[in-house]
Amino acid sequence: MMFRRARNIVVLTALALVAIAGAFMPGAASAGMGYAVVPTAIIYPGETISGGQLQEVEVTNPNLASGYAKSIEEVRGMISKRTLLPGRTIPVSALREPYTVTRGSQIRLIFRIGAMTISAAGSPLEDGSTGQVVRARNMDSGVIVSGTVLADGTIHVAAK
C-alpha cells in the first residue's frame, strides 16, 4: 500500500509540473503545429489564385480541423471552387486544377492503335483537366467521341 501511494504522488507531481510549464510557456504547447495559408482579400469562385493574394500564418488553434492548405505553393495557380474569405484557412477541397481544355476551343483528337495514328481537328463539349474523360466533336465528320485529356491539350480517343 505504501509503495502505490508514493508512486501516485510522484506521478501527480510530474503532471502538475508539466501543467505549470504549459501555463507559463504557451508557445511551447503550440510548437510544431505548422502553418496555414489564408487569403489577404476575397477570392471568388472560378478565380485563379496568385501568390500575392495569400499569406502563411502560424496555426495556434489545436482544435482546427485538418484538410487545409499548409503552403502557398500548394495553392498558387489553383482555381477556387467557392468564395474564400480573408483570414480564414483554405480547405484543399475548395480548390481545383485549372482546365487543360475548355469547351468550344480548338483541339486535336488523337486515335492510336498499334503503329497507326489518326489525328483530327476537334472541339471539346465540356471543360476538362489532365486525365479526365471528356466528350468532343470531330470537326470533320461531326461525330461525338469520348477521350482522355492529355497534358499537352490533345484528347486521346479510346477505341470502342
Side-chain angles (χ1 to χ4, degrees), residues 15-154:
L15 288 174
L17 288 173
V18 170
I20 291 171
F24 288 110
M25 294 184 289
S30 66
M33 291 191 63
Y35 290 89
V37 178
V38 296
T40 56
I42 296 175
I43 299 173
Y44 293 101
E47 192 175 332
T48 302
I49 302 172
S50 68
Q53 298 172 300
L54 305 171
Q55 174 183 2
E56 281 185 3
V57 296
E58 188 175 354
V59 176
T60 58
N61 183 356
N63 298 324
L64 186 62
S66 63
Y68 56 86
K70 295 177 173 47
S71 72
I72 290 178
E73 295 306 315
E74 189 178 352
V75 179
R76 183 179 300 154
M78 300 289 273
I79 308 295
S80 173
K81 288 197 229 175
R82 62 184 179 103
T83 303
L84 304 174
L85 300 174
R88 300 276 180 109
T89 58
I90 299 175
V92 176
S93 63
L95 306 172
R96 68 168 174 80
E97 292 284 336
Y99 292 131
T100 307
V101 296
T102 55
R103 191 177 118 193
S105 64
Q106 293 288 327
I107 51 99
R108 295 301 298 165
L109 298 172
I110 306 291
F111 176 76
R112 287 190 184 108
I113 187 164
M116 181 178 68
T117 301
I118 300 172
S119 175
S123 177
L125 299 176
E126 52 200 346
D127 298 330
S129 298
T130 302
Q132 274 186 314
V133 175
V134 296
R135 294 179 309 127
R137 181 182 313 277
N138 182 325
M139 299 303 284
D140 297 330
S141 66
V143 174
I144 296 174
V145 296
S146 293
T148 305
V149 178
L150 302 177
D152 62 356
T154 60

